Amino acid sequence: MERPEKKKRYDYTLLIVVLLLVIIGLVLLYSTSAYNGRVKFHDSFYYLRRQGFATALGIAGMLIVAQIDYHKWVPLAALGYLTAILLSVAVIFIGDEYNGSKRWLSLGPISFQPSEFAKVAIILFLACLVTKNVKQMGKFGTLVKVMVPVLPIVALVGASNLSTAIIILGIAVVLIFVASPKYAQFIWMGAAGVGFMGIFLALESYRLERLAIWRNPEKFEKGYQTLQGLYAIGSGGLFGRGLGESVQKLGFLPEAQNDMIFSIICEELGLVGASLIILLFLILIWRFFVIATHAKDLLGALIAAGAMAHMMIQVILNIAVVTNSIPNTGITLPFISYGGTSVLFLLLEMGLVLSVSNLIE
């Protein structure tokens, strides 16, 4: 007698937290961007409409990907990796520049950031590569073999977007660390990484300038955005001014709906509101950890661990930038900052993790 097919069982806690973050993100995005939309495009809903469309596509994609066995993506992992490299090369030569950064590609009326696709592609590709070499992961040569394919993407993305390159490199290190039985060799990798970052920063003068701005933002014209963000955080107090009542978003904080949206959250919702959003991210990261530890196989565990590393690094970097704990690197807050490409691929990544949770018995 045939066994009945196992009913798919999503990790509903993960799904609910993702949907909560998406809904809260749209509400906060409208609150933050309505003024800019009205001034620039004569439409208060301009940013919300575009983000809403990308979110709807992302949720549909997430639910479809969640129902597909994640093992079926393995044959496409190498193709995804090569596509990420080709798109990153295309950005350098034919990319669109916005606010001094060349990070976008345009296909007719559609504009997107290939670096967002690269994050998901590298998680899947490395998960497959590490799984194939798992028995030799204790050897330093195997670590190098697994790490080398990541470097071209890190270099190509880092040419125009250092923060995303750091996230991709961080994802790679976490995945290799999770699968490696020996930890001492990561000291050498860490030293090499620090040396690489030092050379990378020294190659462009504007990167060293960012360090100077970070230390003394009040002495530089380019420190204006950082200072306005700090004013917003400070004026929010414990409970904030109230949703929609931000002053800094009224032209004082440039592009408030993008990288600096967390400062407006602090101003409108205060420490309490900002802490609740951080709590949602912590629950999300915890669910990734639970799924990784209970996954059916190593491939599933690495996919969940990669998503956990991605979310953890990106949230920490964004909040650290907004609070001026690290130099400004231009990184978005997942699900909340304006960016259609970001929210679309984040939701597809969540679908991949949900598909891993489906096979947990």
Side-chain angles (χ1 to χ4, degrees), residues 6 26 57 69 86 108 110 163 171-172 178 181-182 204-205 268 278 294 298 307 330:
K6 179 180 176 288
L26 290 174
L57 283 180
D69 187 331
L86 290 174
I110 300 173
S163 52
I171 290 169
V178 167
K182 296 180 180 178
E204 296 285 352
S205 59
E268 293 190 346
I278 292 173
H294 292 87
L298 180 62

Side-chain angles (χ1 to χ4, degrees), residues 191-360:
V194 170
F196 176 77
M197 287 302 298
I199 295 170
F200 196 76
L201 288 169
L203 286 175
E204 296 285 352
S205 59
Y206 77 89
R207 293 180 183 131
L208 293 176
E209 184 186 28
R210 282 187 179 182
L211 291 175
I213 294 170
W214 167 56
R215 293 180 64 186
N216 298 291
E218 68 281 356
K219 293 184 179 180
F220 296 86
E221 185 179 345
K222 291 182 179 178
Y224 176 81
Q225 186 184 45
T226 298
L227 289 174
Q228 295 303 318
L230 292 174
Y231 294 154
I233 293 170
S235 64
L238 192 59
F239 297 104
R241 294 175 178 271
L243 187 64
E245 299 299 319
S246 166
V247 173
Q248 293 301 119
K249 70 184 179 185
L250 303 178
F252 296 101
L253 181 60
E255 303 292 336
Q257 70 278 357
N258 293 337
D259 310 335
M260 303 295 286
I261 196 168
F262 188 74
S263 61
I264 302 300
I265 293 171
C266 291
E267 184 182 7
E268 293 190 346
L269 304 181
L271 177 63
V272 172
S275 298
L276 288 174
I277 289 172
I278 292 173
L279 178 62
L280 285 175
F281 281 119
L282 288 173
I283 294 172
L284 194 65
I285 292 166
W286 166 61
R287 292 316 301 172
F288 290 148
F289 178 79
V290 170
I291 293 169
T293 53
H294 292 87
K296 181 180 179 180
D297 54 19
L298 180 62
L299 178 65
L302 290 174
I303 289 172
M308 181 180 72
H310 176 192
M311 191 64 59
M312 189 165 52
I313 295 169
Q314 188 157 334
V315 170
I316 290 172
L317 282 180
N318 178 269
I319 295 176
V321 165
V322 170
T323 55
N324 202 37
S325 301
I326 63 171
N328 196 323
T329 57
I331 196 72
T332 57
L333 186 63
F335 301 114
I336 295 176
S337 293
Y338 175 67
T341 313
S342 174
V343 75
L344 174 61
F345 284 108
L346 272 170
L347 287 168
L348 292 177
E349 187 179 320
M350 297 305 103
L352 201 56
V353 178
L354 285 170
S355 73
V356 174
S357 74
N358 283 341
L359 298 183
I360 296 175

